[in-house]
Amino acid sequence: MEVVLSGIRPTGNLHLGNYFGAVRNFIKMQEENSCYFFIADYHSLTTHPTPADLHGNIRNVLAEFLATGLDPEKATLYVQSDLPETAELYLLLNMNAYIGELERCTSFKEKIRKHPENVNAGLLTYPTLMAADILLHRAHKVPVGKDQEQHLEMTRTFARRFNRMYNIEFFPEPQAYNFGEELVKVPGLDGSGKMGKSESEGNAIFLVDSPEIIRKKVMRAVSDAGPTEEGQAKTEAVENLFSLLKIMSKPETLAFFEDEYLNCRIRYGDLKKQLAEDIILFTSPIRERILEIRDDNEYLRKVTKMGAEKARESASKTIKEIREIIGISSF
Ligand code: TYM
C-alpha cells in the first residue's frame, strides 16, 4: 500500500484553491491508501501569528478538513506540532541542506521580496521542514497544488542525498500528485495570479463564506471591457473567470459562455451571477457542516488525539531507524 501525505498551513480558512488543489485529492485517496494529512502549524510560525490566531486557525482548518469529508477512521489526521519527531528530522536534514539551494527556492525569493523586514531562518529552511514532514512517514505521493512542485523537487534531492551519503535505499522519492490529472492552480478573483489568503482582500473564496459574501466577491471580480473582434484572445482576468467556471460549473455552462465570448456577445455580469450560484451550490453543504463541527471541542480533541497517536507510531519508528543509520545509537 502506498503512503500518501500532505499538509496545509493554518493561516486562515480553507479556500477553493486549497480545496481543488489539495483537499479534493485527500478525500479520494483516503479510500485506498495509507494516508497522513496534517495541519502544518510549525510552518505557519514563519509569519509570526499571535497565539490566539494560531490556535483559532488550527481549529478552523481541522473543522474544515472534517466538514469536507476527510474521515479520521480512514486517514490519519493530525497537528504537525503533536509530532516532535518532525523537529528532530528537520534538524538532521538541515545538516545536509545547502544555503545556496535554499536561497534559490522560488517561494523564498518571493517571500523576501514581499516581506524584506522578516527574512528569518525558518523561512529559508521551510523546504527542509516540509521534507521532514514527508520523509518522516516515508511517503510516496504528496497531493498538492502546482505552487508546491519545487518543494517536492527539493524533498527528492534531500532524500537522494541521505540515501547516497549512508549508502542505503531508505527514503523513497516522493512525487507531487494530483488524482489522475496535472497539478492544479486555481486562480483568484483579483485579475492576476492564484487564489490565496494572503493576496488582496476579496481575492479568495472561503469554504465557510456565506452566500451573500460569495455573491459580493464574485460580482466584484476583475474582468475587462469585453471582446470587440471575433476570436480575440482573453485577458488574464477573463481567463481566470473562465478557469473558475471550468472548475465550478457544468460543461454546458462553460460551453455557453465560451460561445458568447467568441461571438462578442458576452455579458460578464451574467457569467459572474452563474459562477456565484454554482460556487454556492458547492460550498453550502460544506459550510453547514463546518459551523456544526467548529465548536465541538470534544470531537476535535478526540480526532487530534487519535491522529497524534497513529502518526507518532510511524514517526518514532522512522526516527529510530534514522538514528541508527547515522550513528546515534545507544550502547
Ligand atoms: P498552503 O497552506 O499554502 O496550501 C495548502 C495546499 O493548497 C494548495 N493551494 C492551491 N492549489 C491550487 N490553486 C491554488 N490557488 C492554491 N492555493 C493553495 C497548495 O498547493 C497546498 O497543496 N508548504 C505547504 C504546507 C505543507 C506541506 C507539507 C504540504 C507543509 N508540509 C508536506 C505537503 C507536504 C503550504 O504552504 O501549503
Side-chain angles (χ1 to χ4, degrees):
M1 193 150 52
E2 286 200 299
V3 178
V4 175
L5 170 142
S6 196
I8 294 199
R9 281 172 306 145
T11 47
N13 293 104
L14 293 190
H15 52 70
L16 293 177
N18 299 134
Y19 184 84
F20 288 98
V23 179
R24 178 175 56 167
N25 290 296
F26 303 177
I27 298 162
K28 288 185 188 154
M29 295 176 96
Q30 69 181 352
E31 301 301 331
E32 290 190 352
N33 300 279
S34 168
C35 289
Y36 295 89
F37 300 126
F38 67 95
I39 298 172
D41 56 344
Y42 282 153
H43 274 101
S44 66
L45 295 174
T46 55
T47 56
H48 306 162
T50 66
D53 279 353
L54 179 62
H55 192 69
N57 281 330
I58 294 172
R59 171 194 297 278
N60 286 342
V61 175
L62 183 62
E64 287 163 348
F65 267 6
L66 295 163
T68 56
L70 286 183
D71 182 346
E73 300 290 337
K74 292 180 181 158
T76 303
L77 304 181
Y78 65 98
V79 180
Q80 185 185 34
S81 62
D82 279 338
L83 259 65
E85 292 84 357
T86 310
E88 181 168 351
L89 185 52
Y90 167 58
L91 178 148
L92 297 172
L93 291 174
N94 267 331
M95 303 302 168
N96 298 314
Y98 295 99
I99 295 285
E101 62 191 341
L102 294 168
E103 278 175 343
R104 277 195 300 278
C105 181
T106 317
S107 61
F108 177 68
K109 287 197 278 193
E110 178 86 343
K111 281 268 157 53
I112 64 175
R113 190 176 59 77
K114 282 192 182 157
H115 301 285
E117 77 295 349
N118 182 25
V119 185
N120 61 65
L123 216 50
L124 180 69
T125 56
Y126 189 106
T128 21
L129 181 53
M130 195 161 147
D133 295 324
I134 298 169
L135 300 177
L136 195 55
H137 301 288
R138 300 166 76 182
H140 303 101
K141 285 184 178 147
V142 185
V144 282
K146 185 124 184 81
D147 57 338
Q148 299 297 317
E149 214 167 16
Q150 192 183 29
H151 288 150
L152 263 294
E153 211 175 288
M154 293 176 83
T155 302
R156 286 194 289 278
T157 304
F158 298 143
R160 269 198 303 273
R161 195 171 286 158
F162 181 96
N163 290 350
R164 202 176 329 113
M165 187 156 176
Y166 297 104
N167 199 18
I168 182 171
E169 278 305 308
F170 186 69
F171 292 126
E173 287 188 25
Q175 304 297 325
Y177 187 80
N178 185 299
F179 205 87
E181 294 169 45
E182 302 267 287
L183 297 189
V184 170
K185 180 183 122 182
V186 179
L189 297 172
D190 64 2
S192 67
K194 66 169 181 173
M195 184 173 285
K197 41 208 156 200
S198 53
E199 314 299 325
S200 58
E201 180 75 21
N203 176 52
I205 292 183
F206 299 100
L207 297 177
V208 77
D209 278 349
S210 67
E212 301 75 61
I213 290 181
I214 293 176
R215 284 190 194 105
K216 211 182 267 172
K217 284 182 178 172
V218 176
M219 294 316 286
R220 284 191 191 149
V222 178
S223 60
D224 60 23
T228 49
E229 285 169 33
E230 214 168 280
Q232 190 173 320
K234 296 187 184 103
T235 56
E236 188 182 356
V238 170
E239 192 69 71
N240 288 352
L241 288 176
F242 274 91
S243 299
L244 286 169
L245 210 57
K246 188 168 177 199
I247 295 169
M248 304 303 312
S249 303
K250 293 196 182 111
E252 49 275 28
T253 308
L254 175 67
F256 171 78
F257 286 107
E258 286 284 9
D259 201 48
E260 293 287 281
Y261 184 89
L262 203 66
N263 297 318
C264 305
R265 280 195 309 257
I266 185 117
R267 286 166 32 167
Y268 293 129
D270 292 350
L271 182 155
K272 289 178 183 177
K273 260 190 212 144
Q274 182 67 46
L275 176 61
E277 294 315 310
D278 289 338
I279 292 174
I280 291 165
L281 207 60
F282 171 77
T283 53
S284 285
I286 298 179
R287 173 171 194 262
E288 270 169 37
R289 284 196 297 274
I290 295 173
L291 299 181
E292 266 170 41
I293 298 170
R294 199 163 57 179
D295 296 319
D296 191 346
N297 249 336
E298 203 172 318
Y299 180 50
L300 297 181
R301 193 177 318 119
K302 201 174 118 202
V303 169
T304 44
K305 185 165 174 283
M306 187 167 94
E309 278 167 14
K310 282 205 269 176
R312 283 200 79 179
E313 239 175 74
S314 146
S316 57
K317 182 169 173 291
T318 312
I319 285 292
K320 187 167 173 286
E321 290 177 36
I322 292 174
R323 282 175 152 242
E324 275 170 22
I325 292 169
I326 65 180
I328 312 180
S329 43
S330 47
F331 291 97

